[in-house]
Amino acid sequence: MFTIKWNGDSVTILDQRLLPKKEVYNTYRHYRDVADSIRNMETRGAPAIGITAAMGIALAAQNVSFKNVDGFREEMNRVCDAFAATRPTAVNLFAAITRMKNIIAQGNDPAAVRQLLEKEAMAVYNEDIEANKAMGKNGSKYISDGDVVMTHCNAGALATGGYGTALGVIRAAVEQGKKIKVFACETRPYLQGARLTAWELLNDKIPVTLITDSMSGHFMRTGVIKKVIVGADRVAANGDVANKIGTYNHAVLAKENGIPFYVAAPLSTLDPATKSGEDIIIEERGIEEVAFVMDQQIAPEGISIRNPAFDVTPAKYVTAIITEKGVIENPATQGITKFLKS
Amino acid sequence: MFTIKWNGDSVTILDQRLLPKKEVYNTYRHYRDVADSIRNMETRGAPAIGITAAMGIALAAQNVSFKNVDGFREEMNRVCDAFAATRPTAVNLFAAITRMKNIIAQGNDPAAVRQLLEKEAMAVYNEDIEANKAMGKNGSKYISDGDVVMTHCNAGALATGGYGTALGVIRAAVEQGKKIKVFACETRPYLQGARLTAWELLNDKIPVTLITDSMSGHFMRTGVIKKVIVGADRVAANGDVANKIGTYNHAVLAKENGIPFYVAAPLSTLDPATKSGEDIIIEERGIEEVAFVMDQQIAPEGISIRNPAFDVTPAKYVTAIITEKGVIENPATQGITKFLKS
């Protein structure tokens, strides 16, 4: 199993929309198809879409037609803009695009730039996996033998180059010999928990129990869940966390029940340029994701629906932000800026 | 549209499992089919299942074979036990059965008892509708013109004889000319919000917006939702409320965001014999309700699943309990016993 793969002249992507029923990989030679795969959630997860965009841009560099180096730059910047327009909330996407844009801006030989873009895309990919393993190591000390750990959405291998952020922390704890049980929230509307986290952990033989999102409080209040760990799509300067819709609910419930709430966030999701959660754009997706589950219509015709894909968890609910560089404990007291400068 | 109807020699029940796509009514002449309709959630909602059980028992009285009055009593008690075994959490079911059992115990002429049981079943039904209207009147003062009111599950006409408990309060406010918008949580796993509340309010032309359960916090924190009102399956002596799974999550989030949280509970759901929420049996239903949405499998084969159908909201999160007799404000300070004796 892999999430994304670079083939030299194409990109292969696991179609996560078909999981857990079918494991289908699609290979794309044109960058537009790669951008579409982000937009339509064939691939998803903040780190994974950063990697996919980088690979898509490297792919485009092989195919764009141009007259001179200025034309090449112009075309490639257009490509970068197309990727930037796919999804607005995760900062990794923009971080990856910026890395590619810097290379485009600096080079004067399209052939050399093309090679550098390919190298950079692979660096984005490899650094992500390394970061996940380091994050796992840094976070695993917070997970004790025998813990039942709840997670929301999929911050696993499927959301990243591999290994995972939140699930990476769990994997690291399991590799240390700790016996861990995971409670996976199904994560409506798109069911990343039921479809992806459950599938991924089942594949890895890590014990996992599926619950609906609305059950989190019940299992916290009755003492079943001991820890919560989630990923992040963007962390603002003050420590506020944008993550999959429902994260805020779990965070408030964890605090109310005295349960630690951890956010596993690679440095690529830390965004000191965004002052607070209020400044983060929350993507609102199509109503069909709520009105239908797969092809089953669950709501009456003509009903009004809201579908924000993310929410903001204020820093005061976060026990610690775990990164590959170290841990920011109690982010409400210090934000992320001091840590990033240290 | 109606939820349940007594036809003299049969009971007609709206098959709520097929909503919102199909409006199908099933007519049953045998009490076992009526009991099954409760167990398999063809009909649901605490008051509605009390009414259905009462009608089912009245129906059984027409058909049981017996040799003498003792044999009749024995048979009818067996019928009552069959209804008591359908679902464990809602107290209305047991309250209705107790009313029917008292009549069975007292009468010496099966033919007369049969008539009294029919009359009692109609009383359970009519009292429920009257109670809902009184509850609506008592609760509507808490709903202001322009409010966006969130509700969970379906505590509407479909959960009762008619009019509804939580939705009855909203209907009463609307009848008073207040402009109200309702946010309906879809209510996984069984989707009573998406399928029933949305359908019922759309039919009544009361503006309704559907959200997933995990979005409640987001719309509270961002100031969209102004009030929360839910029904109840059982209220314990200390004011703790058992209601559809997810209710506790919303209650904690409401308190955290300074939003009033109301419970519309007919007297039949008030259970002073149960000391606190910890003493309420929480029904755990089949895993297929979580693993499938209608006939769509959403989780991998072999996954472990938990499916508690209800949760307990401690009284401290409840702003007021609205009944047909009056309102218990701040139930954490007084419980329900004093109110019931007043």
Side-chain angles (χ1 to χ4, degrees), chain A residues 115-148:
Chain A
Q115 288 204 329
L116 286 171
L117 287 174
E118 179 173 346
K119 212 174 137 191
E120 190 73 2
M122 288 314 294
V124 170
Y125 173 75
N126 288 320
E127 287 166 22
D128 180 63
I129 296 178
E130 280 163 36
N132 290 342
K133 297 217 164 167
M135 221 179 310
K137 208 176 149 198
N138 292 338
S140 61
K141 68 176 171 197
Y142 296 106
I143 311 293
S144 308
D145 190 34
D147 270 351
V148 174

Side-chain angles (χ1 to χ4, degrees), chain A residues 162-180:
Chain A
Y163 204 70
T165 56
L167 296 190
V169 170
I170 289 167
R171 283 197 169 89
V174 169
E175 285 164 12
Q176 289 161 10
K178 294 173 188 165
K179 285 202 163 56
I180 311 295

Side-chain angles (χ1 to χ4, degrees), chain A residues 19-21 152 183 186-189 191 194-195 198-199 202 208-222 224 245-250 252-253 255-257 277-278 282 284 290-291 293-308 310-314 316-317, chain B residues 19-21 152 183 186-189 191 194-195 198-199 202 208-222 224 245-250 252-253 255-257 277-278 282 284 290-291 293-308 310-314 316-317:
Chain A
L19 291 175
K21 288 190 205 164
H152 188 67
F183 266 49
E186 65 175 4
T187 318
R188 277 281 290 150
L191 295 167
R195 297 191 302 107
W199 184 80
L202 211 59
V208 54
T209 296
L210 179 66
I211 59 172
T212 68
D213 306 321
S214 61
M215 294 174 190
S216 61
H218 174 72
F219 287 113
M220 289 187 204
R221 201 184 65 78
T222 55
V224 174
I245 188 75
T247 301
Y248 168 69
N249 288 21
H250 303 317
V252 170
L253 287 155
K255 181 146 204 162
E256 189 74 4
N257 287 285
E278 306 316 308
I282 299 294
E284 186 123 0
V290 175
V293 175
M294 300 179 185
D295 63 355
Q296 283 289 341
Q297 186 183 339
I298 62 159
E301 295 281 347
I303 184 84
S304 157
I305 290 174
R306 293 291 303 270
N307 185 20
F310 303 93
D311 61 22
V312 170
T313 299
K316 67 175 173 177
Y317 299 105
Chain B
L19 290 175
K21 287 191 206 165
H152 188 67
F183 265 51
E186 65 175 5
T187 318
R188 277 282 289 153
L191 295 168
R195 297 191 302 107
W199 183 79
L202 212 58
V208 53
T209 296
L210 179 66
I211 60 172
T212 68
D213 307 321
S214 62
M215 292 173 192
S216 61
H218 174 72
F219 288 113
M220 289 187 203
R221 201 183 66 77
T222 54
V224 174
I245 189 75
T247 302
Y248 168 68
N249 287 21
H250 302 317
V252 169
L253 287 156
K255 181 148 203 159
E256 189 73 6
N257 287 285
E278 306 316 308
I282 299 295
E284 186 124 1
V290 175
V293 175
M294 301 178 186
D295 64 355
Q296 282 288 340
Q297 187 183 337
I298 62 160
E301 295 281 347
I303 185 84
S304 158
I305 289 173
R306 292 291 304 270
N307 186 18
F310 303 93
D311 61 23
V312 170
T313 299
K316 67 175 172 177
Y317 300 106

